[in-house]
Amino acid sequence: MDKKFAMLRALGEEKVVAVIRAESEEQGFKIVDAVKKGGIKFLEITLTVPGAIDIIKELAKKYKNEDIYLGAGTVLDPETARAAILAGAAYIVSPCFSPEVMRMCNRYRVPCMPGAQTIKEIVACLEMGADIIKVFPGDAYSPSIIKSFKGPLPQGNFMPTGGVSLANVKDWFAAGAYAVGTGSNLTAGAKTGDFDAVTAEARKFVEEVGKVK
């Protein structure tokens, strides 16, 4: 199977992306290890993390033979997208729609997940070939926004990010989400150095998402 479509299919099966934000490279690596230990396979390293490209490069080597999908998040320009792809990112996530970032990802046949808030933005994403559209910030809406988007645009695959928690994750899927991205609700324990709590939360997410059909 084509590598790109295999990854998108895996995302549809796993259904959850861990959004990794950290104050340092060391903390970033610890969060990644904790989340992975909890069973989440899609790991999005945001470019706000110090040394994010180096982290992606090292993790790509470390998990080369493992069933792990590394991505780069908060990508704002094509130069950064290319650097992340060359470092080993298997997908690119952006908080907004950027035609230049989309073109770069299309050039390398790497899935791009641009952020959108309106029907007009979503249509622009689809016209550029976006396979997954990131609904961001998710906490600005209720899960019903997915159902509203899919009314006129049933062909869209949506991934809400921001505000997704154990309490509402099933509601997002019930509304039609393809996958979800979760960050602060998942990794809160890292702020106090409690990485076991991050692992425990990851396990709960995997268990909860596993109930979704």
Side-chain angles (χ1 to χ4, degrees):
M1 181 183 293
D2 179 273
K3 186 176 181 180
K4 176 179 178 179
F5 289 113
M7 197 224 76
L8 292 170
R9 180 177 179 179
L11 177 58
E13 294 172 350
E14 296 295 325
K15 301 185 185 310
V16 59
V17 176
V19 182
I20 311 298
R21 296 190 184 279
E23 298 176 358
S24 66
E25 285 190 43
E26 181 182 6
Q27 186 187 53
F29 280 118
K30 289 182 178 180
I31 293 175
V32 166
D33 286 341
V35 170
K36 178 179 177 293
K37 187 177 179 181
I40 295 179
K41 297 180 180 180
F42 278 80
L43 309 172
E44 175 192 328
I45 313 301
T46 65
L47 270 295
T48 56
V49 179
I53 296 296
D54 291 333
I55 292 176
I56 292 171
K57 189 174 184 178
E58 185 168 335
L59 290 175
K61 292 179 181 178
K62 182 178 181 180
Y63 300 136
K64 183 178 181 179
N65 298 315
E66 294 190 42
D67 194 16
I68 293 295
Y69 301 88
L70 291 172
T74 322
V75 177
L76 304 178
D77 53 72
E79 294 82 6
T80 304
R82 183 175 186 273
I85 291 168
L86 295 180
Y91 55 96
I92 299 295
V93 185
S94 177
C96 60
F97 170 62
S98 167
E100 294 78 17
V101 171
M102 288 291 301
R103 290 191 186 96
M104 181 63 70
C105 291
N106 289 340
R107 185 177 302 159
Y108 285 92
R109 281 196 56 74
V110 169
C112 184
M113 306 175 192
Q117 290 184 313
T118 66
I119 291 292
K120 183 177 181 179
E121 291 176 342
I122 292 167
V123 170
C125 293
L126 291 172
E127 289 177 346
M128 284 295 296
D131 298 290
I132 308 291
I133 297 165
K134 174 181 175 178
V135 178
F136 179 79
D139 50 8
Y141 308 96
S142 69
S144 63
I145 191 65
I146 303 294
K147 185 177 180 180
S148 296
F149 284 155
K150 288 186 77 69
L153 300 171
Q155 70 273 33
N157 292 319
F158 298 97
M159 182 179 74
T161 303
V164 176
S165 66
L166 286 169
N168 63 29
V169 66
K170 286 197 294 185
D171 296 330
W172 284 108
F173 284 110
Y178 183 82
V180 298
T182 180
S184 58
N185 284 299
L186 171 66
T187 64
K191 293 183 178 180
T192 58
D194 189 354
F195 296 99
D196 287 337
V198 175
T199 296
E201 197 73 3
R203 285 179 177 144
K204 291 177 184 177
F205 259 99
V206 171
E207 181 179 351
E208 198 67 22
V209 171
K211 299 175 184 177
V212 177
K213 296 182 180 179

